[in-house]
Amino acid sequence: MLVMTQPPLRPPSRLLLRPKAAPTSSGTSLDALVTKTPPHLSRESSRSRQASPLQALPTTDVSEKATAALIRRVLVPSSHGGIDASPIDQLLPPLTSSNAVDLQLYAIIAVIIKEFVASWYTKITPDQGFVEEAVRIIAHCTRALEQRIRSVDIESLVLDEIPELVESHISAYRASHESPHSPPFAAEARVVYHNLIPHPAFSPVPLIDSPSTVHEQLNNEAAYRQLLVQGVLAVLLPTEDLGNACLRTLVADIIGEMILGNGVGGKACEGWLIWEGMTKIVENVKARVGAKATGEEIEVDTRSRLEKFGLLTETKEEFKLKAHQSRSSVVSEIFWRLLQYGYLAFITVRFIILGLATASSRPPRSPTVSGTTGPEDIQDLSAIQKTVKRPILSYKIFSLIGLLLDLSDRMPWLSGSLCLAQYHATNSLRVGATDGLFDKFLHQLLTAHVLSPSLIPSLLKTVRTSLFPGNTLTPARIVPSSVQKNAIKRSCAVTILEHVPRIVMERFLLGSSNVSSILSVPSDDISRTTDENLKEEMIMEIESVLDIFGDSYCNKHLVFGIIELCIVRLIPEIGEKGVADLLDARLGEGWE
């Protein structure tokens, strides 16, 4: 066994009160993002004055003011009680170049330290040196990650490489769970999936009949997580902290076991949790879009309260007048619907025309070369050719959508038409080729609305409120039963069905033949039977699509594959060297 030596322990250094780096997306201080309130000055007993600020009662308020107060109480204990009223960005080292992102990151760090560190650290010593040292190390790593993120093609990573992994997952899942043979001749679905997408961390396939395979697979997964985390720390940690074996082991255990093991592998890969996340995403998107006005809102009920409850009889003239008003309301509703759809069509066409007009003046996405004259220019040309970007229309996100919706089987004519249009746009017409007019328009659209840095603070806040509601650690959730999992899946399917236009779902999920067969019922029962049968069949079709994420073992291949891809893109050294080689390069040959 290798004996790892470490330098003598040094006393924790105080946080440097240095100005924040020049921001790129926000220039205001952290305290300017929240409303400053005067500190509460109260007389405390001697016992409460000796208690650590980390033991303060947690707040259930997730507002910006409460978040800033939580950060001060946990990460800046010297400012607790009104001792130091300086802005937070002068008390804490900068994590990124954006103050809004720093506020959300520090909130997540404060909750983690309050829930997972204060529970045992405050029983040992009231000294806050460990917290300050942890904040300093985290700040060093986040700043290094930000510099690496700037050199990564986020657009290609999110819209091309990650969708390619999801596409492979869907194809392998369907191939493994749609066996042409019936039991006992059918092969185990997990075994088939693992053979199609092999991964050393999830080998051997855990089988219920063989407990030894379950134990061996869990050990391999734990070793893989430690190897992954050790490789990241070997690149990002400061040299003096990397040489401390105790610190490196502690950080690797926290990230590898608590975050990747319990959080990602133990919870985030569960199918029922993914379905719940989909439900929340659909509801949030619908809430942001807002309810659309329809012609039904124009209809006004002019009847009196006696007429509504049937306490007044209607005369013949009143009946005719009511029928006339009903016909008028239908005509009015149709008119306003046509007017609304016409306005939406006008806005869409105007948006596309203006976008194409402004996209023509945007700089090219790929670097250009004027010519080659020597060996150095040839080397530069070969390096540039490696960074040439693909057309956005050829990204895997579009084929992923078609595969996820099974478009080639449901509507082969539509799938073929889209493929033909994509081919002509990227080849013969060249408008969708790299740096073409339509390619620049799509790049501008994605940069402004999908991959905008301004969305990062709200995304981090959503993650924090989802993982830690009320800025506290909620009790562990009981794993739902099979019946409850089916109910969660059905609820997700119903939510998706309710937020998509009905006519689209009917034509896409059922097709004209199925709709016609359902409509061929007696006229007196057509209304009730049609609605019930159509809704139930569409829900079953959506549930069959959601089943793709129902197996947690298969989901682990996908989730950890995405994590590996992101790490390799951010830290390419891991894909070129092993962990031992990285440590040798940082610490020297005798670090062991």
Side-chain angles (χ1 to χ4, degrees), residues 71-91:
I71 296 173
R72 284 181 173 274
R73 185 173 66 251
V74 177
L75 303 182
V76 194
S78 60
S79 65
H80 185 67
I83 299 178
D84 193 347
S86 302
I88 297 179
D89 55 347
Q90 296 183 9
L91 301 175

Side-chain angles (χ1 to χ4, degrees), residues 90-146:
Q90 296 183 9
L91 301 175
L92 295 173
L95 298 179
T96 64
S97 58
S98 172
N99 290 314
V101 174
D102 284 2
L103 180 66
Q104 301 302 327
L105 288 178
Y106 272 129
I108 296 176
I109 295 172
V111 174
I112 292 176
I113 291 179
K114 179 170 66 72
E115 298 294 340
F116 298 103
V117 177
S119 58
W120 57 269
Y121 184 77
T122 54
K123 298 178 182 179
I124 301 176
T125 174
D127 184 30
Q128 300 300 318
F130 177 78
V131 176
E132 297 174 353
E133 188 74 8
V135 171
R136 185 187 64 82
I137 295 175
I138 293 174
H140 178 87
C141 296
T142 54
R143 289 195 298 268
L145 277 177
E146 184 184 18

